[in-house]
Amino acid sequence: MTGRYLLALDQGTTSSRAILFDREQRMLAVAQRDFAQHYPREGWVEHDPMEIYSTQAGVMAEAVAKSGIDPREIAAIGVTNQRETTVVWEKATGRPIYPAIVWQCRRTSGICDRLKAEGAGEMIRRKTGLLIDAYFSATKIRWILDRIPGAQQRAERGELLFGTVDSWLIWKLTDGAVHVTDPTNASRTMLFNIHTLDWDDELLALLNIPRAMLPQVRSSSEVYGETDLLGVRVPIAGIAGDQQAALFGQCCFEKGEAKNTYGTGCFLLMNMGETPCESRNGLITTVAISRGGKTQYALEGSVFVGGAVVQWLRDELHLIADSAEIGPLARTVPDTGGVYLVPAFTGLGAPHWDMYARGCIVGLTRGTTRAHLARAAEESIAYQVADLVGAMERDTGVRMQRLNADGGAARDSFLMQFQADLLGRTVCRPAILETTALGAALLAGLAVGVWSGTDEIRRGRQADTIFAPDMTPSRRELLLAGWNRAVGHSRGWAAPDC
């Protein structure tokens, strides 16, 4: 080890960030840039891969410059990323052949319906831990290969590469020298066998995806290659999909420990140890982390629209001018006045998995105000997380004692308190909410010896606020019953588009 600082590249759904940490897990500098979201058709979401890279490279240099630290003191770089988002590019030129298809995009619902009709669901679930859904990368790859003339043949000749965003960034940062991913990201593609920990030939054949396109799968914590950072060669030594990185950053190293990230979407993960657990309640099984020759698994529930509902109120409805206004506005009314907002803008994730659900607002009266809508939007995030917790407890038979919270929306104390009330258990918010970036930094630091192991890391963790439940059981049951009725109205709204 030649340095005591770690640089985390946190490439998210709406922005690229870079955060510099020291070995005491303190944040020293942050740089962030938003990038464009493209919605070419209803239910479609795209990004420009080159903009993803340019913004990430820009904030990487900016964070280091802001800190005033000599780049030679940076021990390693960790990468964490929006998962499932799919990039296909030319190996020779590095030029993407199509925009990145984002994890939220529902354009491949017809392909998913076909796979289900062919009876592939059980085989896919058994091998990958996933349910057939447009959320995952495999059908996005198939869609691109079908739509771009000659793409299938070029892919078979090894001229095209596929990657989730981690692979794309590392390939660009290493000038095309390294095409890798880790098991946390590979397990989100619907092409990776979580038992053999390798790409699965039967799955590849099912969708006619050439293996030559795929990145090499390496562990989540090792040196993959180097990049130039302000004239200094720095190793890239950690990779994890954003939610697994947050699980690691929350120090959920042991079986039964869980966290929920309140970001663009919401993602609840529980560490299940070294044996994968099969869900019977609409959750998925995924790789939690792979390091030191060992692989841990997690149960996961995904909410497609979490904090994004606040962005919708701001950008489309113009009910607020800034996202920070949502909490104070929601608190101006004692309740929603019977209003429920189901933000199923791109379908419903776990535990419903309804690709054709769409958003709805129910319970409106002449007395409904913008404050009621704001509160209903905030509460919708907590309701969706409560659905996930219930499914996870039914799968494991274990009552979750505490929920660790992180992500941007976890700053909102109103939301955290309502979440504790709705769950009937404590919610713990850490001192550093940027646990996704922290997890990537920790993985990179472990690979190069900044920390000796997870025990040392856990000793450095600090809690910020504990939210205790303060709601009667009867009130909780009444609210949840109303939510379930509202969700029923959103189900199956959009017609299948094959």
Side-chain angles (χ1 to χ4, degrees):
M1 185 185 72
T2 58
R4 64 187 310 272
Y5 303 103
L6 287 306
L7 181 62
L9 307 186
D10 183 0
Q11 204 299 301
T13 306
T14 59
S15 69
S16 296
R17 294 188 301 164
I19 303 180
L20 195 67
F21 294 91
D22 64 15
R23 72 179 316 275
E24 285 73 41
Q25 304 179 42
R26 295 176 300 204
M27 293 171 49
L28 303 182
V30 181
Q32 177 172 340
R33 294 183 193 175
D34 293 343
F35 56 87
Q37 309 291 303
H38 302 283
Y39 307 99
R41 287 178 56 182
E42 179 189 353
W44 290 28
V45 191
E46 295 177 353
H47 293 157
D48 178 352
M50 295 304 295
E51 188 179 14
I52 288 175
Y53 170 67
S54 64
T55 54
Q56 191 65 72
V59 295
M60 178 173 71
E62 182 182 342
V64 176
K66 286 169 67 173
S67 73
I69 289 170
D70 189 324
R72 289 173 292 186
E73 286 296 301
I74 298 176
I77 294 170
V79 176
T80 183
N81 55 285
Q82 54 169 313
R83 305 170 303 170
E84 298 93 17
T85 295
T86 297
V87 185
V88 177
W89 68 94
E90 293 177 338
K91 184 177 182 179
T93 68
R95 181 180 65 86
I97 68 169
Y98 192 82
I101 301 181
V102 181
W103 58 273
Q104 299 161 311
C105 188
R106 314 308 292 168
R107 76 183 64 191
T108 63
S109 297
I111 301 175
C112 294
D113 288 341
R114 175 176 60 80
L115 292 173
K116 292 175 183 177
E118 292 172 354
E122 177 58 25
M123 182 268 288
I124 288 174
R125 185 202 57 75
R126 177 170 42 84
K127 291 190 172 194
T128 69
L130 308 178
L131 303 173
I132 296 175
D133 194 84
Y135 178 27
F136 306 110
S137 309
T139 58
K140 303 179 194 299
I141 301 171
R142 183 66 263 152
W143 192 95
I144 292 173
L145 294 180
D146 284 340
R147 295 308 190 281
I148 304 302
Q152 179 70 35
Q153 293 74 25
R154 296 184 67 194
E156 291 172 356
R157 292 195 299 266
E159 297 173 8
L160 299 181
L161 301 179
F162 152 74
T164 43
V165 172
D166 58 310
S167 298
W168 166 245
L169 287 178
I170 292 172
W171 195 87
K172 293 289 288 181
L173 290 169
T174 60
D175 296 320
V178 179
H179 185 213
V180 299
T181 190
D182 86 308
T184 69
N185 282 291
S187 67
R188 314 299 298 189
T189 61
M190 217 167 75
L191 297 172
F192 185 75
N193 190 315
I194 63 172
H195 307 286
T196 65
L197 299 177
D198 191 12
W199 304 116
D200 190 273
D201 288 332
E202 186 177 7
L203 296 171
L204 293 173
L206 179 68
L207 285 159
N208 194 22
I209 294 174
R211 182 182 274 265
M213 297 181 71
L214 306 180
Q216 180 186 11
V217 182
R218 306 267 289 274
S219 80
S220 306
S221 181
E222 64 174 277
V223 175
Y224 315 102
E226 293 183 338
T227 190
D228 183 277
L229 178 57
L230 300 175
V232 177
R233 302 298 292 178
V234 180
I236 301 172
I239 304 173
D242 51 10
Q243 302 314 316
Q244 289 96 330
L247 187 72
F248 201 80
Q250 286 272 31
C251 295
C252 296
F253 305 139
E254 304 298 329
K255 182 177 180 179
E257 295 179 321
K259 70 87 197 174
N260 187 69
T261 295
Y262 296 83
T264 302
C266 289
F267 301 90
L268 177 67
L269 275 75
M270 177 185 284
N271 188 324
M272 297 308 298
E274 295 182 34
T275 303
C277 173
E278 182 178 313
S279 175
R280 295 297 184 188
N281 290 281
L283 303 178
I284 59 179
T285 305
T286 193
V287 174
I289 214 70
S290 175
R291 55 176 296 269
K294 296 182 178 180
T295 298
Q296 289 185 319
Y297 296 87
L299 272 180
E300 175 174 337
S302 305
V303 169
F304 295 156
V305 178
V309 71
V310 178
Q311 296 172 337
W312 177 69
L313 290 183
R314 181 193 67 195
D315 299 338
E316 271 65 56
L317 297 193
H318 304 290
L319 289 186
I320 54 176
D322 186 274
S323 296
E325 297 175 20
I326 189 76
L329 179 60
R331 285 192 292 270
T332 62
V333 289
D335 53 44
T336 66
V339 174
Y340 289 88
L341 190 163
V342 183
F345 304 143
T346 56
L348 287 170
H352 309 287
W353 294 107
D354 187 342
M355 295 182 288
Y356 303 112
R358 289 297 180 265
C360 70
I361 303 173
V362 299
L364 294 171
T365 68
R366 183 62 182 82
T368 300
T369 67
R370 59 191 286 265
H372 290 115
L373 288 177
R375 184 167 182 133
E378 281 237 276
E379 290 188 0
S380 75
I381 302 172
Y383 282 119
Q384 293 177 96
V385 173
D387 284 346
L388 300 181
V389 171
M392 195 162 285
E393 290 182 338
R394 290 191 295 274
D395 270 338
T396 63
V398 177
R399 177 178 169 83
M400 189 182 298
Q401 297 303 312
R402 182 178 77 170
L403 180 65
N404 295 296
D406 57 63
R411 295 186 179 91
D412 187 338
S413 294
F414 167 80
L415 174 59
M416 294 297 96
Q417 183 59 55
F418 186 73
Q419 186 73 83
D421 289 342
L422 208 57
L423 294 176
R425 65 211 71 185
T426 59
V427 172
C428 177
R429 182 170 64 191
I432 294 180
L433 283 175
E434 307 298 346
T435 55
T436 299
L438 177 59
L442 295 176
L443 289 166
L446 285 168
V448 297
V450 172
W451 295 286
S452 60
T454 54
D455 288 343
E456 182 182 1
I457 288 171
R458 193 188 290 274
R459 288 194 295 270
R461 186 174 188 267
Q462 297 179 354
D464 172 44
T465 308
I466 304 294
F467 297 89
D470 185 25
M471 179 182 286
T472 64
S474 59
R475 175 64 176 166
R476 183 180 304 121
E477 291 173 9
L478 182 66
L479 291 176
L480 288 170
W483 167 255
N484 290 330
R485 288 177 60 204
V487 169
H489 289 296
S490 77
R491 300 290 303 270
W493 185 265
D497 179 11
C498 297

